Amino acid sequence: MSRTHATPVNAVDARLPASGRLADRAAFEAFRAAATRRWDDLWSVERMVVSVGVDSSSLAKGAVEVLAACRRELTGSDAVVREVSGNGALWMEPWVEIKRPGQPPIVYANIDPSEVPALLTGSLEERALGVRDGDAFGGIPALDDHPFFRHQERIVLRNVGVIEPESIEDAIARGAYSAYFQVLFEMSAEEAIAEVTASGLRGRGGAGFPAGIKWESGRKAKARPKFVICNSHEGEPNVYKDRRIHEGDPHRILEGILIACVVCGAERGYNYIGGEYPLAIQRFRKAVADAERLGLIGQDVLGSGKSVAFRVRTGGGAYICGEGSALMFSIMGVRGQPRTKPPRSVEEGIWKRPTIANNTETLANIPDIITRGGAWFAGIGTEGSKGTKLMTVQGPVKTMGLVEVPMGISLRTLVEDVWGGMRDGSTFKGIQTGGISAGPLRDDHLDIPVDFDSMTELGGMLGSGGFVVFDQTVCVVDFARYMTAFNRYESCSKCVPCRLGNPALVEVIDRIRLGRGSLADLALLERTSKHIIELSLCGLGQVAPMPLLGMMKMYAEEFRAHIEEGVCPTGTCPISVAPSALVAAD
Amino acid sequence: MSLSPSTEIDLAVVRDLLSHIRPNDDQEAQELILAALQEINEHFGWVSLAAARLVAEHLGTTENRVYGLLTFYADFRTEPRGKHFMLVCHGMSCYALGSQRLVQHLQDGYGIGDGDTTADGELTIQVVNGCLGVCDRAPFVKLDHDFHGDLTPDRLDAVLGQAFSRGAPGER
Ligand SMILES: Cc1cc2nc3c(=O)[nH]c(=O)nc-3n(C[C@H](O)[C@H](O)[C@H](O)COP(=O)(O)O)c2cc1C
Ligand code: FES
């Protein structure tokens, strides 16, 4: 599928200043003022503004065709047609937002390209879902009153679905690079790090390490040059958050990385993006090119005397390359196989130089922490987990999507309210947490708060915030096999416990699935798991058996049914299909 | 670029792709090996030994190292693709909604697993362990340039049947 490019917002663009290199502070401030005027005009002038959410999920459902139909229908009129990104609500796609003169922007959901003419002439009003960013209007409710949006507090996602991601002017009008400007001119590195520390921000890549502490050691590291890496690999099978920030607001990520570079004294920033996300890569590269053009990257940024270089690198479909040291090896052009630590990467990272690595979402939080202050951020969330968290869901729920909610929201609110509960015909059986690194929770656990610490006691984990709801059709033995087989396939093969242990687990699970298991196999699974967890070199092996152990703990009776009664209660496993068919696929 | 299988890829095109990759120093050259291979893989659907050699030469490294990368990273192929290429999402939404049945069906009905090509050269599949990002339409595949969601084995047969009767996609 070929993509059409955003055409500039025609008439409004006349207001833009020449967009060459901005030589100094004043030039940036003038540019920002002009971009802001242009943005305000866009929404205040008496003209129709049509925005279509195009991102990696909506384009699979015809969003590009919807956009093209809008352009076609409105050719010759003074209407502005914009290509924004999706807003996280997969269930709404493709959606179109229309702002008519004298009206607020109204969002219409699930629009087919063939419906566009009717939509634009106003004869599809029954499909209006809500008013974006405002109160109810003419019987149409505020979008923020919809359960999917009601619980959200959008900081990282503030611009996602609102700005044109390929327009640096849109981003700057909505505040991009203001925090960067602050650390270049108005704030010392110590002050900036103090804000990050005070914010309590913990890493969003899974481990939850305090960002302030990492930055402090990065700043103190003596060797030169130093590097900052944004970890946008996101190779887990259960999550789709980081790519959406790239698709919707790439400048926010870039700004976070540039701030880290300036504050930690790093000469060069990197963003390592998973190769599976062509649109994320394309939009991020565009953002980098525009920032270079304006002189926000390069020598003597805005005349501040500070210089930052930037490189984009893309992954090759190996999950392990999300692990910090493996990612650095991948950047250096070798196989992504983790190494033992110490030395930590802030001492010895890329090219044996100090390297500060953070997850995309972590860095995307930085601009607001700088402009609004660490104390503001620390006022959101729970005691040990500050701020908001991006969370995604998969499986048979009604309103699937990515949301940004305050830390500490209950899992039940997420599942039953935000994500709309189960689809018709599906009964909730469990929710897998922490992706392929932790265990599931059952219905009787759903009232716990979602943050870094609350779920671990039950064997769950926040991880990167990707939850998987599963229903009565999913066999937990088969599900455990799926996750163990994932880890078997993705093991980098460097250390023996992980390389040999995971295949051994799969073999034993298969025996159970075939109806040839014994109760002794359950003990064998636990023992082998223990060895893998205790002896593996890196974070992949050290948690690889957790999903299996979690499934065995939460659904012990279902494992026993396979062994003692020789039946798979859901009818999934080969026991109940054909005794000979061992599923070969992983 | 045609998707039809051939035993070698056009090295003149590879040279042209490589001519745009101009590292400033040895470290940058090493950082660009993966990028060079990705471009070739993207363009041709696979990377041949001869192309890998050109990359090694161009970036001042050994073909062993280049081959080590090709075999480590799942996105690379070292053999040509069939006429059609399908990414089968096996992420967790797809799993929870039945992608295992599709994978099994491709094995039973077409004789292919991850990375394989059908005997008649019509179809190559790659089973993707990550998530393709269209989780609400799981299970989900991307066949050539088209997306298909909410699949069952029967619906997959219909989708494949249509693609086969249309022939190879002209442009990649
Ligand atoms: C097997 C494995 C895969 C990982 N994948 C990712 C990933 O895709 N993205 C990410 O940000 N962190 C990933 N991590 C965590 C990183 O090693 C690291 O902790 C993180 O990027 C640090 O950033 P943060 O402190 O901002 O979270 C992974 C870790 C392991 C062990
Ligand atoms: S898991 Fe298949 S599209 Fe997300």
Side-chain angles (χ1 to χ4, degrees):
Chain A
M1 168 175 297
S2 62
R3 295 187 52 258
T4 48
H5 258 277
T7 46
V9 234
N10 36 36
V12 194
D13 263 359
R15 307 216 54 152
L16 276 181
S19 50
R21 187 162 183 280
L22 305 173
D24 52 23
R25 299 177 64 154
F28 176 79
E29 285 173 319
F31 187 89
R32 182 168 57 190
T36 309
R37 266 195 314 277
R38 165 182 171 274
W39 179 262
D40 292 343
D41 282 0
L42 173 66
W43 299 103
S44 59
V45 174
E46 291 292 290
R47 147 191 337 108
M48 190 172 175
V49 181
V50 177
S51 310
V52 183
V54 179
D55 64 10
S56 56
S57 65
S58 68
L59 67 78
K61 305 166 198 164
V64 171
E65 290 76 7
V66 170
L67 177 68
C70 291
R71 292 226 166 98
R72 205 163 47 237
E73 288 299 311
L74 293 170
T75 308
S77 78
D78 70 345
V80 176
V81 181
R82 306 163 69 238
E83 178 180 348
V84 299
S85 179
N87 58 7
L90 302 189
W91 55 276
M92 277 170 53
E93 292 166 349
W95 56 261
V96 178
E97 174 193 295
I98 302 177
K99 186 195 172 305
R100 297 189 172 84
Q103 293 187 8
I106 295 169
V107 177
Y108 300 81
N110 307 114
I111 298 299
D112 188 82
S114 65
E115 296 171 327
V116 166
L119 173 70
L120 293 175
T121 53
S123 42
L124 215 59
E125 289 308 292
E126 72 277 9
R127 298 277 284 286
L129 188 74
V131 175
R132 173 175 67 80
D133 224 6
D135 299 332
F137 174 85
I140 301 166
L143 198 56
D144 284 341
D145 286 341
H146 189 284
F148 185 82
F149 294 98
R150 192 192 304 144
H151 301 275
Q152 294 201 45
E153 186 162 346
R154 291 166 79 107
I155 300 167
V156 169
L157 298 183
R158 187 172 93 92
N159 291 335
V160 171
V162 178
I163 61 167
E164 291 201 76
E166 300 202 7
S167 161
I168 192 169
E169 292 83 9
D170 272 18
I172 288 179
R174 296 269 294 178
Y177 301 107
S178 291
Y180 184 42
F181 185 87
Q182 248 172 290
V183 300
L184 284 172
F185 297 110
E186 295 165 356
M187 219 181 201
S188 69
E190 290 78 4
E191 285 168 334
I193 291 183
E195 292 302 334
V196 176
T197 306
S199 75
L201 174 67
R202 293 170 65 179
R204 270 36 175 166
F209 189 79
I213 296 181
K214 194 182 282 184
W215 284 29
E216 184 62 37
S217 10
R219 195 180 70 82
K220 286 196 180 130
K222 294 261 165 356
R224 294 272 155 179
K226 296 192 225 177
F227 305 113
V228 168
I229 300 181
C230 175
N231 186 343
S232 308
H233 186 251
E234 198 170 57
E236 286 176 287
N238 60 302
V239 68
Y240 48 87
K241 66 180 179 79
D242 292 339
R243 77 193 78 168
R244 302 275 179 218
I245 319 175
H246 282 83
E247 290 170 355
D249 192 6
H251 289 286
R252 171 179 291 277
I253 301 167
L254 182 53
E255 183 181 8
I257 306 171
L258 295 175
I259 291 171
C261 288
V262 169
V263 167
C264 299
E267 279 79 354
R268 184 156 69 226
Y270 286 86
N271 190 9
Y272 184 94
I273 312 175
E276 266 69 37
Y277 319 137
L279 187 61
I281 294 169
Q282 175 193 317
R283 286 184 177 164
F284 190 79
R285 282 192 195 281
K286 171 78 165 62
V288 172
D290 285 343
E292 275 170 350
R293 178 168 53 81
L294 294 187
L296 298 170
I297 296 172
Q299 296 289 318
D300 190 17
V301 175
L302 303 180
S304 65
K306 300 187 174 108
S307 303
V308 192
F310 203 86
R311 288 178 182 173
V312 179
R313 297 286 179 250
T314 59
Y319 163 68
I320 189 61
C321 288
E323 194 275 346
S325 64
L327 184 147
M328 294 180 207
F329 285 123
S330 182
I331 287 181
M332 292 187 281
V334 293
R335 291 175 156 229
Q337 293 178 306
R339 62 163 172 78
T340 47
K341 277 146 251 174
R344 293 175 310 141
S345 58
V346 284
E347 294 146 13
E348 249 181 51
I350 315 181
W351 304 118
K352 296 220 180 254
R353 291 295 181 272
T355 304
I356 299 99
N358 274 126
N359 169 256
T360 317
E361 184 188 342
T362 313
L363 289 162
N365 270 299
I366 295 294
D368 283 74
I369 290 175
I370 298 293
T371 53
R372 302 204 222 176
W376 159 79
F377 191 85
I380 307 167
T382 62
E383 185 61 33
S385 309
K386 300 301 186 188
T388 58
K389 179 79 192 75
L390 301 189
M391 313 227 186
T392 63
V393 72
Q394 300 176 319
V397 294
K398 282 199 189 114
T399 50
M400 191 185 288
L402 160 70
V403 294
E404 180 172 4
V405 288
M407 287 277 197
I409 189 173
S410 95
L411 197 49
R412 191 177 299 284
T413 305
L414 277 172
V415 172
E416 295 180 358
D417 218 15
V418 177
W419 292 321
M422 304 302 284
R423 290 182 188 168
D424 295 342
S426 280
T427 313
F428 181 92
K429 179 167 178 177
I431 180 165
Q432 172 63 14
T433 68
I436 27 76
S437 312
L441 298 176
R442 293 183 314 237
D443 187 66
D444 49 321
H445 303 135
L446 286 185
D447 294 308
I448 56 162
V450 178
D451 61 17
F452 280 116
D453 312 305
S454 304
M455 279 180 285
T456 43
E457 209 170 299
L458 290 164
M461 189 169 99
L462 174 57
S464 46
F467 295 94
V468 188
V469 168
F470 53 99
D471 69 6
Q472 77 286 353
T473 64
V474 171
C475 164
V476 292
V477 179
D478 191 73
F479 198 3
R481 184 201 190 270
Y482 163 85
M483 291 186 276
T484 311
F486 176 95
N487 284 315
R488 174 185 69 173
Y489 182 88
E490 297 293 348
S491 166
C492 80
S493 298
K494 179 167 170 172
C495 75
V496 177
C498 179
R499 181 179 70 223
L500 298 183
N502 285 307
L505 290 181
V506 173
E507 258 180 57
V508 179
I509 303 172
D510 273 340
R511 200 148 67 214
I512 298 173
R513 291 170 65 247
L514 281 162
R516 299 188 200 126
S518 69
L519 286 177
D521 283 335
L522 295 179
L524 178 59
L525 286 174
E526 284 184 7
R527 204 163 60 242
T528 308
S529 294
K530 184 167 178 286
H531 294 159
I532 299 172
I533 290 167
E534 287 174 359
L535 301 173
S536 289
L537 187 154
C538 86
L540 189 150
Q542 287 160 9
V543 299
M546 298 310 278
L548 168 66
L549 294 177
M551 289 289 169
M552 287 169 64
K553 180 171 138 212
M554 293 294 173
Y555 303 95
E557 67 297 342
E558 201 168 321
F559 276 79
R560 274 204 306 277
H562 284 71
I563 294 169
E564 291 176 337
E565 295 153 39
V567 293
C568 170
T570 65
T572 309
C573 287
I575 316 182
S576 31
V577 197
S580 63
L582 182 110
V583 178
D586 345 278
Chain B
M1 189 56 223
S2 146
L3 276 184
S4 50
S6 60
T7 46
E8 187 44 89
I9 62 187
D10 186 345
L11 295 180
V13 177
V14 174
R15 283 196 188 87
D16 183 54
L17 290 175
L18 290 176
S19 70
H20 303 289
I21 297 179
R22 291 193 221 97
N24 294 307
D25 53 45
D26 179 52
Q27 284 183 353
E28 196 180 3
Q30 296 182 61
E31 288 187 17
L32 289 170
I33 305 172
L34 265 180
L37 295 174
Q38 283 165 347
E39 276 201 35
I40 296 168
N41 197 65
E42 172 75 22
H43 194 96
F44 296 98
W46 66 297
V47 183
S48 68
L49 187 56
R53 268 193 205 114
L54 284 184
V55 171
E57 232 168 73
H58 184 75
L59 294 171
T61 185
T62 62
E63 62 186 67
N64 277 358
R65 172 159 172 196
V66 173
Y67 233 62
L69 296 177
L70 289 177
T71 50
F72 184 83
Y73 293 94
D75 287 350
F76 295 123
R77 292 183 54 79
T78 51
E79 277 163 22
R81 287 174 175 175
K83 249 192 245 168
H84 299 276
F85 183 65
M86 181 163 73
L87 294 174
V88 182
C89 186
H90 202 28
M92 281 166 93
S93 207
C94 288
Y95 169 81
L97 292 160
S99 60
Q100 186 74 42
R101 284 196 292 278
L102 301 185
V103 172
Q104 183 70 53
H105 182 68
L106 286 162
Q107 188 63 254
D108 297 345
Y110 299 79
I112 46 175
D114 180 24
D116 295 344
T117 303
T118 50
D120 59 7
E122 280 285 336
L123 176 69
T124 300
I125 62 168
Q126 182 181 340
V127 177
V128 181
N129 264 347
C131 151
L132 290 182
V134 198
C135 307
D136 58 327
R137 296 288 168 90
F140 183 82
V141 303
K142 183 175 179 203
L143 175 61
D144 301 325
H145 309 298
D146 299 325
F147 305 93
H148 304 277
D150 301 318
L151 291 174
T152 58
D154 287 346
R155 282 206 55 210
L156 182 63
D157 282 341
V159 163
L160 287 173
Q162 273 177 11
F164 293 166
S165 65
R166 272 201 309 269
E171 273 303 299
R172 279 197 63 231

